[in-house]
Amino acid sequence: MAEILMVRHGQAAFGTDDYDRLTEVGWEQSRLLGDYFVRRQMTFDAIFTGTMRRHRETLAGVLEALSEQPPATELPGLNEFDFHALVTAYRALNPDTNVDTRDARAFYGCLRDALLAWNRGELIDVAEDWAAFESRVRGTLSALTEPRGRVLVVSSGGPISAVVRETLQLSVENMVNLNLQALNTGITRYYGNQKLLRLNTFNAVPHLESPDDSRLITYT
């Protein structure tokens, strides 16, 4: 039996020319998560990340407080879908869609529509279709559930919500809604093995619950 903690990356640099890096807030969120693990005397028997810079940096921030942890295994299946490409493809099909892509609220509202259109197979000129995305995420589950003990996984909102969908047999619309609620460094916990996976907690941020740290609760 494994305890699997799937952690979304810290705040990334939305609205810049390089989203795939942590902001100073993202680094602080990650370090506070590491401090939380230390206070709870939590160590890990296995660690997995995607291959994105924001995944590696989040893990680096967490590990500043932890010592003698196992080396991380990188799994491309834990990478986020290309949401900028999806929004671009959606807007190409809907030229009347007027959205300021520098405004996070407007952008993610458009992204919700784009994700649903992606699932329906309406988007063209995208490198990955919906079925391929779900298949690669599903393919990581055997790796994540093989170790026994406590497993740390650093990924993104899309794969994390896709695993919730797989576990609870949710509709795509519900999955998308969960995806857009994913908090930076939010923890989603499972217990299980390769035969059965049970969701215990979704999107928790106990390391950011003090009044002084509430400013660090972010979504982008």
Side-chain angles (χ1 to χ4, degrees):
M1 183 70 70
E3 176 189 5
I4 301 170
L5 280 67
M6 295 194 75
V7 173
R8 187 186 176 212
H9 60 79
Q11 186 190 59
F14 179 85
T16 73
D17 58 1
D18 183 11
Y19 176 81
D20 193 25
R21 60 183 175 85
L22 295 191
T23 63
E24 286 304 314
V25 167
W27 278 104
E28 190 170 358
Q29 292 164 334
S30 304
R31 294 181 182 112
L32 286 172
L33 180 57
D35 291 341
Y36 169 79
F37 289 148
V38 170
R39 291 196 305 273
R40 296 292 302 274
Q41 299 183 336
M42 296 173 68
T43 58
F44 298 95
D45 298 288
I47 298 175
F48 298 91
T49 74
T51 66
M52 293 178 152
R53 176 179 174 182
R54 56 190 184 271
H55 301 156
R56 297 189 188 103
E57 290 185 346
T58 298
L59 179 60
V62 169
L63 293 180
E64 285 185 19
L66 296 172
S67 60
E68 299 182 0
Q69 300 303 304
T73 299
E74 293 190 351
L75 299 175
L78 293 171
N79 289 349
E80 185 63 285
F81 47 73
D82 188 345
F83 56 84
H84 284 107
L86 297 181
V87 167
T88 298
Y90 179 79
R91 294 179 70 191
L93 287 180
N94 299 272
D96 293 335
T97 301
N98 185 18
V99 57
D100 182 354
T101 57
R102 296 166 299 179
D103 178 80
R105 183 181 295 273
F107 179 87
Y108 285 103
C110 183
L111 176 61
R112 182 183 187 280
D113 294 335
L115 289 172
L116 295 175
W118 185 37
N119 168 253
R120 294 191 297 265
E122 296 173 1
L123 302 186
I124 58 175
D125 295 329
V126 292
E128 180 179 49
D129 64 23
W130 178 272
F133 163 68
E134 285 206 311
S135 177
R136 69 170 167 84
V137 173
R138 193 179 297 118
T140 68
L141 291 180
S142 60
L144 303 185
T145 54
E146 182 178 0
R148 295 187 178 184
R150 183 176 292 121
V151 179
L152 176 64
V153 182
V154 181
S155 183
S156 292
I160 290 171
S161 60
V163 175
V164 175
R165 166 171 153 78
E166 178 76 12
T167 304
L168 300 183
Q169 296 297 295
L170 298 179
S171 69
V172 171
E173 184 171 5
N174 283 332
M175 171 194 152
V176 169
N177 289 338
L178 290 179
N179 182 13
L180 297 179
Q181 294 179 56
L183 294 168
N184 295 119
T185 62
I187 303 168
T188 297
R189 177 186 276 108
Y190 297 89
Y191 291 96
N193 52 39
Q194 293 191 325
K195 294 182 178 179
L196 180 66
L197 196 62
R198 295 191 183 278
L199 178 66
N200 174 264
T201 306
F202 172 71
N203 207 27
V205 285
H207 52 297
L208 304 179
E209 288 182 346
S210 76
D212 290 342
D213 295 328
S214 61
R215 62 181 176 81
L216 298 173
I217 296 178
T218 61
Y219 294 85
T220 57

